[in-house]
Amino acid sequence: MQGYIINITRVKDEDLIVVILTHDSIKTLYRFYGARHSTIHLGYKIDFESLASLKSTIPQLRSVLHLGTPWNIHRERMLAWQAFIRLFYLHLKDVALIDTFYFDLLESCADIWYKQNPKRIAIEAYSKLLRFEGRLHDDLICFNCEEPIKEDLTLIRAFLPAHKHCAWNQTFERLHVKTLFEEHSTIAFDDEEVESLWKIMLEGF
């Protein structure tokens, strides 16, 4: 079985509780400390086995193989990936079975993470996730006053649109936001705006 590690919690005697996003489920597994274990980190894609454990009520993580990518050794790209993938844990931690959309989305991001600005990739993926979950407000109606936004458009958590005077956040060009929401593209945004969108995304899915 394959999946992405979306959370790691250290417990007694350096044992770990590892949460893995697989093709169609979120698995919480226990890994006992031992010198022969392969190294695992948040964000790694791994091949693994899940076995019932006599020492814990949580199934045991066994036979771990890291399925590495070329950008795993690039610190900045890996840190951005870990920040991005941690959001999946916070968003899906109370779910057991999931749609294959989430795994496929991470796969598509991982494939191009070394080719482009990873923050742009993450923001575009986030807009796809919001669209999939029916939470993308592409009508550009202000969440606060419920009036159409013609100018001074800003975004808050979950990319909810608002008037600047309703949310007091950085403004974006209306057409650029429409392009992001409809085409899932950040091409119209400059790097400073991408940084702002990245920070909004990190507030949570």
Side-chain angles (χ1 to χ4, degrees), residues 10 22 27 42 53 57-58 61 80 101 128 132 134 145 161 167 170 176 185 193 196:
R10 296 193 180 278
T22 72
K27 295 190 177 296
L42 178 69
S53 173
T57 56
I58 304 174
L61 176 63
F101 168 85
K128 293 175 184 177
F132 174 77
C145 67
Q170 177 177 338
H176 296 176
S185 171
E193 290 173 319
S196 296

Side-chain angles (χ1 to χ4, degrees), residues 71-84:
W71 49 265
N72 283 155
I73 61 173
H74 295 280
R75 183 175 183 275
E76 293 304 318
R77 290 184 183 270
M78 192 62 191
L79 288 175
W81 177 256
Q82 290 177 327
F84 176 56

Side-chain angles (χ1 to χ4, degrees), residues 79-90:
L79 288 175
W81 177 256
Q82 290 177 327
F84 176 56
I85 208 165
R86 189 180 290 112
L87 296 172
F88 284 80
Y89 169 70
L90 298 173

Side-chain angles (χ1 to χ4, degrees), residues 18 21 26 28 42 64 89 189 195:
V18 184
L21 188 156
I26 303 293
T28 301
L42 178 69
V64 175
Y89 169 70
F189 295 101
E195 283 295 328

Side-chain angles (χ1 to χ4, degrees), residues 10-48:
R10 296 193 180 278
V11 290
K12 62 179 183 179
D13 301 324
E14 299 189 56
D15 294 349
L16 303 175
I17 295 177
V18 184
V19 182
I20 304 170
L21 188 156
T22 72
H23 191 252
D24 56 8
S25 64
I26 303 293
K27 295 190 177 296
T28 301
L29 305 175
Y30 201 101
R31 193 177 86 151
F32 295 100
Y33 176 75
R36 295 186 179 181
H37 285 318
S38 59
T39 302
I40 62 173
H41 292 291
L42 178 69
Y44 274 11
K45 183 182 180 183
I46 60 172
D47 189 278
F48 65 97

Side-chain angles (χ1 to χ4, degrees), residues 51-123:
L51 300 175
S53 173
L54 298 176
K55 298 182 181 180
S56 172
T57 56
I58 304 174
Q60 187 174 355
L61 176 63
R62 296 285 301 274
S63 304
V64 175
L65 174 65
H66 177 211
L67 303 174
T69 60
W71 49 265
N72 283 155
I73 61 173
H74 295 280
R75 183 175 183 275
E76 293 304 318
R77 290 184 183 270
M78 192 62 191
L79 288 175
W81 177 256
Q82 290 177 327
F84 176 56
I85 208 165
R86 189 180 290 112
L87 296 172
F88 284 80
Y89 169 70
L90 298 173
H91 187 55
L92 300 169
K93 63 181 180 180
D94 297 321
V95 179
L97 300 178
I98 60 172
D99 193 280
T100 58
F101 168 85
Y102 299 96
F103 182 85
D104 293 341
L105 185 66
L106 285 177
E107 289 277 79
S108 64
C109 290
D111 285 343
I112 60 173
W113 202 254
Y114 71 98
K115 296 180 180 179
Q116 303 174 25
N117 180 334
K119 293 181 179 179
R120 289 182 181 271
I121 297 170
I123 291 163

